Amino acid sequence: MTVPDEENLRERNGPTRWRAWREQAQVVAVVALGGALGATARYTVSQWLPTPAGGFPWAIFWINASGCAVIGVFMVVITDVWAAHRLVRPFFGTGVLGGFTTFSTYTVDIQRLVDSGHARTGLAYLAATPCAALAAVWLAMTAARRVLKWRQP
């Protein structure tokens, strides 16, 4: 795949399209970088807390719950407190936290548990993970807003 050179793009598409292409490329790059960091962190945590065969996948459960809590705090901070640079949200929210949390591994874990004869554990995991994730994001957002309100003069 060849990358079009700047002159050709400007001639064919004009400065407006070139600028849009460059801005989009920056967003894609920071999401990819953040995703790599988040996925590496997830892999590290999952190696520290391995799941025994047929056991409840605690590592992925806590990764998803804690990631959702961080998303809750992050969204409050960047919407209520801080006028962040335009690439902070795609880098940290979509990239790092999107790479850290993993609902695809969650579904694979459920399938493996059911297929290996541990349907009860799979069903418990199926129900517990979204409940924990939603509770974590709500509690984190609520706590962050209360702290911010308390700190205001």
Side-chain angles (χ1 to χ4, degrees), residues 83-134:
H85 185 277
R86 71 178 189 85
L87 296 176
V88 169
R89 190 173 180 171
F91 170 74
F92 191 72
T94 305
V96 173
L97 295 174
F100 184 66
T101 58
T102 172
F103 287 89
S104 58
T105 301
Y106 155 76
T107 58
V108 169
D109 286 343
I110 293 166
Q111 186 66 49
R112 286 183 182 157
L113 286 165
V114 171
D115 289 348
S116 66
H118 299 92
R120 284 186 182 165
T121 304
L123 290 173
Y125 185 47
L126 174 69
T129 296
C131 290
L134 290 171

Side-chain angles (χ1 to χ4, degrees), residues 118-150:
H118 299 92
R120 284 186 182 165
T121 304
L123 290 173
Y125 185 47
L126 174 69
T129 296
C131 290
L134 290 171
V137 75
W138 181 81
L139 287 168
M141 289 179 76
T142 302
R145 285 195 174 114
R146 285 188 179 173
V147 166
L148 291 172
K149 189 175 184 179
W150 173 73

